[in-house]
Amino acid sequence: MAYIGNAKQKNSFGLSHELIFLSRDDHRAMNLSLPILVAVVPTLLAACSPSSPETSPAIRPVKTVIATAEPIDRISKYAGEVHARHEIALAFRVGGKITSRQVEIGQQVQPNIAMMQLDPGDLVLNEQALRAQLVAAQAERDQAIAKFNRAKALLDRNLISRNDFDTLKGAHDTAQARVQQAQSQLSGGTRQTGYTQLRADQTGIITAIHAEVGQMVAAGQPVLNLALPGEKEVAISIPENRHNELQVGEEVKINLWSMPGQTYRGQVREIAPLADPLTRTYAAKVAFIDPDTNVQLGMTASVQVSRRLEAAAIRLPLTALTEQNSQAAVWVVDPQTLKVTRRAVQLGEFHGDQVIITNGLVPGQRVVVAGVHKLYPDQQIRLLDDTP
C-alpha cells in the first residue's frame, strides 16, 4: 500500500477528522468491505440510540346523554300570513277605462268614499238620449190626455161613437205606459253613469290593487281588495302527508316574526276539502283568539301544532348517529370502564334535529352525542364537565 498523503478538516460540529488518500489497490479493498459496513452500521446505530417509551392510547373527551324513554310531542310548524277574516274583492258594475284612482294599499277608507273613476263619456250620452226619450213620451202622453178628455166630453153628448172613444182611451193608456217606461230607462241610465265611480259601502283597509289608471276593465273584474275590520286569521298551507295533523276547532299557537317571544292563542277555523291542483297542499285558516293591536294585516306568522304520540320512545339528537355496515349506529359508553362500543340501531320518525330510536337501545344507557366521528371501538373516553 502506497501512502499518498493526508489532511485534517473540521466538520459541521467543530470536530476535526483526517482525510486519507489511498492508492488504487486500497480502493479495491475498500469496495469489498463496503457491503459489510452497510449491514453493520444500522445495527450499531440502533444499539446506541435511546429507547423510546411506549405511547399510551389517547383519551377522547366526549359529550354524552342518558337514553330515556319519555312521551314524544310531535311539533309541526306552518308558515303563513295574517289576513282579515272578511276580505271583499271590489269591482265596477260597468266596463270602461279607468281615469283616476284615489286610494293606496294600506289606506283606510270610509263608506261612500270614491276610490276609482271610469270614463263616463258613453254612459252620459246614453243618459242624455234616455232623457230625451222621456221628454218625447211625456209630450205624447199630454197630447193623448187632451184627446181623451175631449172625447169623453163628446161621448157624454153622444157626439162621438163608442168605438172612437175606446180608440182614444187606448192611445191615452199607451202614452202613460211609454212615459213610465222612459222614466225607468232614464233611472237605469242614471244609475249606470253613477257606477263609473267605485265607492266603498263600509269601513275597511285596501289590501290589494289589481288595476291602474288607463287600463280597460270589464264589468265585474276585481280592481281592489277591501279588508273589513274585526277578526284576523292566519292563512297556511298543509302538505298532503300532514293533512290529518290538524282538525277544525283545534287550538294551536301563533307566533309573529316581528315579535319574537310573543305567543298568541289560535283556533283552526277552516280546512279546505280539496288540495290545490298546483301546490298539492290544503289551504287552512287559523283564527286569532285574543289578538292585540300589534297584530297587523300582512305580517308573517308561524302556526305551531303540538301532538303527543301514544307510546313513549327514546329520542336522540342527530349528532349521535354514525354508520356501521350501511346501517345507523350509536356509540354506547360502558359505565365501568368508560370505553365505547358501537351499537346498531333502528330509526323512527325525525322531529327537527332529533330522531326517535325504535330498536337497539334500552333506557339508562349512556350514548355519545358529540365527537362520534373520532371514536373507535374500545376507545377510552372522558366525560365533559357539562355531561349529565
Side-chain angles (χ1 to χ4, degrees):
M1 178 180 67
Y3 175 76
I4 302 294
N6 60 0
K8 288 186 178 181
Q9 184 177 358
K10 289 186 178 182
N11 57 18
S12 59
F13 298 98
L15 301 177
S16 62
H17 60 278
E18 187 175 7
L19 298 178
I20 301 176
F21 300 94
L22 302 178
S23 66
R24 183 179 303 172
D25 295 337
D26 294 330
H27 276 290
R28 186 179 297 110
M30 288 293 295
N31 290 337
L32 294 175
S33 303
L34 184 59
I36 299 175
L37 292 175
V38 170
V40 173
V41 168
T43 304
L44 296 176
L45 293 176
C48 295
S49 61
S51 60
S52 60
E54 188 174 323
T55 304
S56 59
I59 299 178
R60 180 73 60 183
V62 296
K63 184 177 180 180
T64 62
V65 295
I66 301 296
T68 57
E70 55 185 7
I72 303 299
D73 292 330
R74 176 186 295 172
I75 299 177
S76 303
K77 292 185 178 181
Y78 303 94
E81 185 177 353
V82 179
H83 292 272
R85 177 173 181 177
H86 302 287
E87 189 168 342
I88 305 173
L90 303 180
F92 287 100
R93 297 189 183 185
V94 295
K97 181 179 180 180
I98 300 176
T99 57
S100 64
R101 175 168 63 84
Q102 292 80 30
V103 294
E104 299 291 342
I105 293 180
Q107 179 178 342
Q108 185 172 3
V109 296
Q110 301 297 328
N112 205 32
I113 296 297
M115 298 178 292
M116 275 189 177
Q117 175 70 54
L118 293 180
D119 181 9
D122 295 339
L123 295 176
V124 169
L125 293 176
N126 181 62
E127 182 182 352
Q128 292 175 356
L130 294 175
R131 195 177 301 278
Q133 291 179 8
L134 175 60
V135 173
Q138 289 174 343
E140 292 180 358
R141 180 200 60 184
D142 295 341
Q143 186 178 6
I145 290 175
K147 290 182 179 181
F148 174 73
N149 291 334
R150 289 194 297 268
K152 187 177 181 181
L154 294 174
L155 182 63
D156 294 338
R157 292 182 291 172
N158 293 325
L159 297 176
I160 188 175
S161 64
R162 188 71 185 182
N163 185 40
D164 293 339
F165 175 79
D166 292 340
T167 300
L168 293 174
K169 184 177 182 301
H172 169 268
D173 295 340
T174 302
Q176 287 280 17
R178 287 177 179 173
V179 169
Q180 294 177 357
Q181 180 183 12
Q183 288 176 342
S184 298
Q185 290 177 345
L186 177 60
S187 177
T190 303
R191 291 168 64 89
Q192 291 286 317
T193 305
Y195 292 155
T196 58
Q197 279 192 338
L198 184 61
R199 296 179 177 272
D201 55 358
Q202 50 189 321
T203 303
I205 298 176
I206 302 298
T207 58
I209 298 175
H210 305 293
E212 292 295 340
V213 175
Q215 183 175 341
M216 293 292 298
V217 295
Q221 177 182 342
V223 293
L224 297 174
N225 280 8
L226 182 67
L228 304 184
E231 298 184 32
K232 296 182 178 68
E233 60 187 16
V234 180
I236 61 175
S237 297
I238 306 175
E240 290 187 55
N241 60 343
R242 296 186 177 182
H243 180 256
N244 295 328
E245 284 189 358
L246 290 178
Q247 303 293 332
V248 174
E250 181 178 357
E251 188 167 328
V252 296
K253 295 180 180 179
I254 303 176
N255 299 99
L256 299 179
W257 180 79
S258 60
M259 289 179 290
Q262 178 69 27
T263 301
Y264 296 90
R265 295 170 56 212
Q267 188 175 33
V268 181
R269 185 180 65 83
E270 176 185 306
I271 300 178
L274 298 177
D276 185 273
L278 297 180
T279 62
R280 304 308 305 167
T281 58
Y282 292 84
K285 296 180 180 179
V286 180
F288 282 89
I289 295 179
D290 50 357
D292 52 26
T293 56
N294 295 325
V295 180
Q296 300 295 327
L297 300 179
M299 284 186 170
T300 301
S302 174
V303 176
Q304 179 175 312
V305 182
S306 178
R307 189 177 300 278
R308 174 156 293 186
L309 302 182
E310 295 181 358
I314 297 176
R315 182 170 54 182
L316 294 177
L318 297 179
T319 55
L321 298 181
T322 182
E323 187 178 3
Q324 181 181 14
N325 298 328
S326 300
Q327 184 178 359
V330 296
W331 291 102
V332 178
V333 180
D334 188 329
Q336 303 297 330
T337 62
L338 291 184
K339 293 184 178 181
V340 294
T341 303
R342 187 153 45 192
R343 184 77 55 82
V345 294
Q346 292 183 1
L347 305 181
E349 296 183 357
F350 289 81
H351 299 278
D353 60 349
Q354 295 186 328
V355 62
I356 294 178
I357 307 299
T358 60
N359 193 10
L361 286 180
V362 295
Q365 291 181 316
R366 184 176 290 275
V367 181
V368 179
V369 296
V372 297
H373 300 293
K374 297 182 179 180
L375 300 178
Y376 56 85
D378 293 330
Q379 183 178 5
Q380 190 84 30
I381 59 97
R382 175 172 60 85
L383 302 182
L384 293 177
D385 294 339
D386 57 347
T387 299

